[in-house]
Amino acid sequence: MSQQDPQPHSDGGAPQQPGWGGIQQPGGGVPQQPWPPQQPWGAPPPPKRRSTGKIVGLGCLGVVAFVVVLGVISAAVGGKSDDKAAKSGAPAAAASTKHHAPADPKPAGKAPVQITAKKTAFSKSILADGGDYTSVAVTIRNNGAKKVSVNPLYFTVTDTDGTKHTSELGVDDKQLDTVDLAPGENISGTVTGKGTFTPRYVTFTEDLFGDPVRADVH
């Protein structure tokens, strides 16, 4: 059986391939592509893709808005609490610290050096000249833990006019001795000033540079 040649195209070109749905361009050009197939009537359109950046941005805005709302609520609640505390007269937390008054000081113990003084008559010694003198009988006691040096030169006598008299050595037979007092010891004697006056108090200054101790004359 002999094969039949395909029928030539009317315009002398290449034969049309079977199943080709395109439209032949005039003049023997390349055929155009067919239109895409139409969707069946009533079928839903394909879903649209959402932008990932938009979703992330919207999520961040939502978080920020939530935080702002929480801040506003907290401020409102705190303000109401402060108002209630102010109306009720309750002190603020910052002012809740109380200042306690210091405890009463403990009573002071005995002074390290204790002195008593009283008026006494002047007892003239052989070293006294013909002038006038005024003597004061003193007793000094060591109440401290260290020794105390005693010397008549460490005493002065102040009269009622405010005049201070230094000690005159060797003019009174009962003059206070120069000694060192151990803790608990005491000694008595006279301290004499030149002239006639009314003694008001005596002052003892150990070694002339220590802390002065004063005693009124009775």
Side-chain angles (χ1 to χ4, degrees), residues 65-84:
F66 180 72
V67 172
V68 171
V69 171
L70 285 181
V72 172
I73 295 175
S74 300
V77 173
K80 292 182 179 179
S81 300
D82 295 339
D83 294 340
K84 290 182 180 179

Side-chain angles (χ1 to χ4, degrees), residues 12-168:
Q16 185 176 1
Q17 296 294 330
W20 183 263
I23 302 175
Q24 185 71 27
Q25 293 292 334
V30 179
Q32 294 181 353
Q33 296 290 336
W35 291 99
Q38 297 295 326
Q39 293 291 335
W41 179 258
K48 297 182 180 180
R49 297 182 180 180
R50 295 185 179 180
S51 176
T52 304
K54 292 183 179 180
I55 296 175
V56 173
L58 292 175
C60 294
L61 289 176
V63 173
V64 172
F66 180 72
V67 172
V68 171
V69 171
L70 285 181
V72 172
I73 295 175
S74 300
V77 173
K80 292 182 179 179
S81 300
D82 295 339
D83 294 340
K84 290 182 180 179
K87 292 180 180 179
S88 61
S96 61
T97 303
K98 296 181 180 180
H99 298 280
H100 298 282
D104 295 335
K106 296 180 180 179
K110 293 182 178 180
V113 176
Q114 183 180 5
I115 299 173
T116 58
K118 62 181 179 178
K119 297 177 182 178
T120 188
F122 171 66
S123 298
K124 184 178 179 179
S125 70
I126 60 174
L127 299 179
D129 56 18
D132 296 327
Y133 297 92
T134 301
S135 294
V136 177
V138 298
T139 299
I140 180 170
R141 179 183 298 276
N142 181 7
N143 293 325
K146 299 179 180 179
K147 71 178 182 65
V148 175
S149 297
V150 179
N151 191 309
L153 294 177
Y154 298 162
F155 283 87
T156 59
V157 182
T158 302
D159 62 23
T160 53
D161 294 332
T163 303
K164 183 178 290 186
H165 304 267
T166 59
S167 296
E168 296 288 332

